[in-house]
Amino acid sequence: MVVELVKRGQRVDLTKGTNVNKIEVALGWDTNRYSGGHDFDLDVSVFLLNSDSKVRDDSDFIFYNNLKHSSGGVEHTGDERTGAASGDDEVIKVDFTRIPAHIEKLAFVVTIHDAAARK
């Protein structure tokens, strides 16, 4: 099953009528062809949230500088800085069977590194 998210704040509920144990969230992009002439450095990250929609501590935030959750249930495959890689540029792998019980939601975010300077 492939789900393409395109809108800010879009949500996907994987609990209703599905038996999903593993997912990959992949991000791919090309350089900015439309304006500014600057390359994009997009970053995908994930917050592992408890019932209060908060992270317990920094270890529940997985990104290019903290690649793997201590449970082994979430892993970032590494930072791609230019989008020049073939296929998916950044990937986060999730194994729901290894996610700790106190985690109720995963919130994925995409940011542009140094966005203001890159215009």
Side-chain angles (χ1 to χ4, degrees):
M1 170 176 83
V2 175
V3 176
E4 185 175 338
L5 301 177
V6 293
K7 293 183 179 180
R8 181 176 183 236
Q10 188 172 349
R11 299 168 194 253
V12 174
D13 186 348
L14 298 174
T15 60
K16 295 180 180 177
T18 62
N19 189 16
V20 176
N21 290 327
K22 294 181 180 182
I23 65 168
E24 289 186 0
V25 173
L27 177 65
W29 71 95
D30 293 316
T31 57
N32 185 355
R33 297 173 290 184
Y34 306 105
S35 65
H38 298 277
D39 290 341
F40 287 124
D41 178 5
L42 300 181
D43 295 307
V44 63
S45 307
V46 61
F47 294 92
L48 287 77
L49 305 174
N50 63 21
S51 60
D52 295 327
S53 294
K54 299 189 186 281
V55 295
R56 178 188 56 194
D57 55 41
D58 288 347
S59 68
D60 286 347
F61 174 45
I62 306 303
F63 67 111
Y64 61 84
N65 223 13
N66 182 29
L67 295 175
K68 193 168 186 177
H69 191 260
S70 60
S71 68
V74 179
E75 180 179 1
H76 191 299
T77 61
D79 190 19
E80 166 58 44
R81 295 182 179 172
T82 66
S86 63
D88 297 325
D89 293 308
E90 292 195 14
V91 177
I92 294 181
K93 298 178 180 184
V94 179
D95 182 345
F96 290 113
T97 65
R98 299 180 76 178
I99 301 286
H102 75 277
I103 302 298
E104 293 200 6
K105 295 179 195 174
L106 301 178
F108 292 89
V109 297
V110 177
T111 56
I112 302 173
H113 179 73
D114 209 11
R118 293 172 189 256
K119 300 180 182 181

